[in-house]
Amino acid sequence: MKLGILSESPADEMVIRVLVESVLGENVRLVSPSLRARGWPSVAQVLPAVIRHLHFNTDATGLVVVVDADDSVVHTAEHDREGYYHPRCRMCQLRGVFRQTTKKLPPARGRKHLLRCVGVAVPAVEGWYLCGRDETVSERAWTDGQASGVMPYTRKELKVRVYGTDRPSLAHEIDCAMREVQRHRRDTRRLEHDFPGFESLAKDLRSWKSQLATTASQ
């Protein structure tokens, strides 16, 4: 399967590819987006152009987008109600960009539209890296902290737990991240359980197969 990956750093994109392959149970071939993003505002800004580029100029099946939640509103099941949109939820925002962009595009490259996959790491992707190794780190721990006003950790502390420093070099970041993600290479169930923001990504990916099967039968 060919797909594009858009995230906040090269290190994140390498790890996301491993996790995507784990969920799909198959190898993927990456199609490079026309633009790169570094940080949340950049991802949101370039996403429409990336969608259009992949749709018209490549034969990619879909696009996987992953960002950190940082201190934004965390996506909940309530947000999945039809017609609901939370303006401060990054999952809602990214899904909204996909909807608004793809509905205007005519069929291209033998497909109606680019398939969507969105994941949001709460509060940052380092939480995913620590899943299964640090029992204190989970999406629930973070949202409970938001509710009580007493946070269980900071994003800076998560970086130190993963990299040994809050300012790792890119090479060190990639090395540590790839080592941590090996725990989930064959089974992502723990990651899906502890981090609903990853579970949403996994559900999107699994829906691709049924969507592709439906398209092929038409």
Side-chain angles (χ1 to χ4, degrees), residues 34-49:
S34 58
L35 299 170
R36 311 302 300 179
R38 295 296 171 260
W40 156 247
S42 179
V43 171
Q45 290 165 9
V46 305
L47 181 55

Side-chain angles (χ1 to χ4, degrees), residues 100-118:
Q100 293 301 314
T101 305
T102 57
K103 74 178 184 180
K104 303 172 185 176
L105 302 179
R109 300 277 178 162
R111 50 168 155 63
K112 291 183 178 180
H113 59 83
L114 197 70
L115 296 182
R116 179 208 78 188
C117 177
V118 177

Side-chain angles (χ1 to χ4, degrees), residues 116-130:
R116 179 208 78 188
C117 177
V118 177
V120 176
V122 178
V125 73
E126 284 77 20
W128 290 4
Y129 300 162
L130 290 167

Side-chain angles (χ1 to χ4, degrees), residues 41-214:
S42 179
V43 171
Q45 290 165 9
V46 305
L47 181 55
V50 169
I51 292 172
R52 288 192 292 268
H53 168 74
L54 293 177
H55 179 74
F56 288 116
N57 302 314
T58 78
D59 59 351
T61 299
L63 172 62
V64 178
V65 183
V66 176
V67 298
D68 292 344
D70 296 324
D71 296 315
S72 63
V73 172
V74 175
H75 191 79
T76 66
E78 180 185 17
H79 297 192
D80 288 327
R81 292 185 327 207
E82 186 174 355
Y84 188 94
Y85 175 86
H86 197 299
R88 292 186 57 239
C89 166
R90 292 183 180 178
M91 181 82 74
C92 289
Q93 289 177 273
L94 292 173
R95 288 177 173 178
V97 172
F98 264 98
R99 283 194 301 271
Q100 293 301 314
T101 305
T102 57
K103 74 178 184 180
K104 303 172 185 176
L105 302 179
R109 300 277 178 162
R111 50 168 155 63
K112 291 183 178 180
H113 59 83
L114 197 70
L115 296 182
R116 179 208 78 188
C117 177
V118 177
V120 176
V122 178
V125 73
E126 284 77 20
W128 290 4
Y129 300 162
L130 290 167
C131 180
R133 180 164 76 81
D134 188 330
E135 299 296 328
T136 68
V137 177
S138 69
E139 190 164 317
R140 177 65 180 272
W142 184 259
T143 55
D144 284 351
Q146 287 182 320
S148 68
V150 181
M151 304 309 295
Y153 38 73
T154 65
R155 298 193 302 278
K156 181 177 180 179
E157 288 170 348
L158 292 181
K159 286 183 177 292
V160 172
R161 295 184 197 185
V162 175
Y163 312 120
T165 173
D166 64 320
R167 295 184 179 181
S169 66
L170 178 58
H172 182 62
E173 183 178 348
I174 291 172
D175 181 61
C176 292
M178 292 298 286
R179 182 173 62 249
E180 296 291 357
V181 82
Q182 297 309 310
R183 291 192 302 280
H184 311 293
R185 183 179 284 275
R186 295 184 179 180
D187 189 343
T188 61
R189 285 178 294 180
R190 174 65 183 273
L191 192 52
E192 293 177 51
H193 178 270
D194 288 1
F195 290 89
F198 179 81
E199 182 185 27
S200 293
L201 177 149
K203 287 180 176 179
D204 278 352
L205 288 174
R206 292 179 181 125
S207 75
W208 286 11
K209 292 189 175 182
S210 62
Q211 292 181 64
L212 291 172
T214 300

